[in-house]
Every structure is written in C-alpha cells, then in structure tokens.
Amino acid sequence: MREITSRLVRDLDLKIASEFIFDESYWKQRCYQLLPKNYQINEHGLTWKQLFFETHLQQCLEELGSHELEGRHGLDLLSVASYSQNYTFTLKTQQLLGHPNIDLLCQAVCNMRCEVA
C-alpha cells in the first residue's frame, strides 16, 4: 500500500484523500507542503494526518473575514470542516479577522475543542 500512496500527487482533492488515504508518509509529505518547518506532531495526536487537517482548518479560519462564514468562503470552510471532522480535535488560532460565527464551525466538527491564543 505504501508504494501506491508514494506515487500519488500531493495535491489530491482533500475530500478524497481524507476518506481513502491512511498512510502516514503521505500525510507527512502533505504537511511539508502546507506548514512552516516547525512541526509539532506531539500536539496533534502523534499523527501526520491529524496535524495536517487541524493546521489546514486553522489556516482557513484565520484567513476568513468577519462575516464571510455565511458567504461562499464560509461554505468552503464548512466543507473542509466536514471532511476533516474525523481528524480534527483541537483548533488553535493565532488571530481571527473580525468575529466569525464559530457556532457553525463547531456544528460541522463536533469533536473539536477551540482555543484562541
């Protein structure tokens, strides 16, 4: 299986990847593409997949404007949240632009604990 996933492109649609790819090597490479070099896998359940989805959701939320959670960008964020819900347990944000309606996000990811630093 690892040989098959090693040949996959690293920008595979996240909805498909979240459902069908479990190989940690694949998710480690996705993290290397998405994140700065400060990987803190120990803060994300010791799995690269969880690290990827929690960080990706955090970045999407931090880039969102104050009232965009109800708009098209908000729907994109809620889509990301829906297919990452099985791998997202903690969401730590550095900043929020405005005051987005976090209740909608929390409904999409019921396992999540939110922290704003």
Side-chain angles (χ1 to χ4, degrees), residues 11 19 22 27-28 40 49 53 61-62 70 78 92 105 110 115:
D11 60 351
E19 289 183 50
F22 301 99
W27 293 106
K28 184 177 182 179
Q40 298 295 327
K49 192 171 187 177
F53 279 108
L61 182 61
E62 288 178 347
E70 287 82 18
L78 293 176
K92 296 180 182 180
L105 184 63
C110 56
E115 295 179 18

Side-chain angles (χ1 to χ4, degrees), residues 58-59 61-64 92-98 116-117:
Q58 171 193 341
Q59 289 176 346
L61 182 61
E62 288 178 347
E63 293 170 1
L64 197 65
K92 296 180 182 180
T93 60
Q94 301 300 314
Q95 67 175 359
L96 293 176
L97 301 175
V116 178

Side-chain angles (χ1 to χ4, degrees), residues 55-65 73 76-77 80:
T55 305
H56 180 62
L57 191 58
Q58 171 193 341
Q59 289 176 346
C60 290
L61 182 61
E62 288 178 347
E63 293 170 1
L64 197 65
H73 295 293
D76 292 343
L77 176 67
V80 170

Side-chain angles (χ1 to χ4, degrees), residues 38-55:
N38 189 11
Y39 309 109
Q40 298 295 327
I41 192 170
N42 59 322
E43 295 178 6
H44 299 276
L46 296 175
T47 72
W48 289 101
K49 192 171 187 177
Q50 184 176 337
L51 171 66
F52 177 85
F53 279 108
E54 288 180 348
T55 305

Side-chain angles (χ1 to χ4, degrees), residues 1-31 33 47-53 83-84 86-87:
M1 185 60 101
R2 186 170 293 221
E3 185 174 328
I4 293 170
T5 56
S6 69
R7 295 179 185 198
L8 292 174
V9 294
R10 297 298 180 241
D11 60 351
L12 190 64
D13 179 78
L14 284 179
K15 182 176 182 179
I16 293 169
S18 69
E19 289 183 50
F20 298 109
I21 299 178
F22 301 99
D23 181 25
E24 283 290 292
S25 297
Y26 176 85
W27 293 106
K28 184 177 182 179
Q29 292 303 313
R30 292 282 303 242
C31 286
Q33 287 180 325
T47 72
W48 289 101
K49 192 171 187 177
Q50 184 176 337
L51 171 66
F52 177 85
F53 279 108
Y83 55 77
S84 65
N86 293 329
Y87 314 102

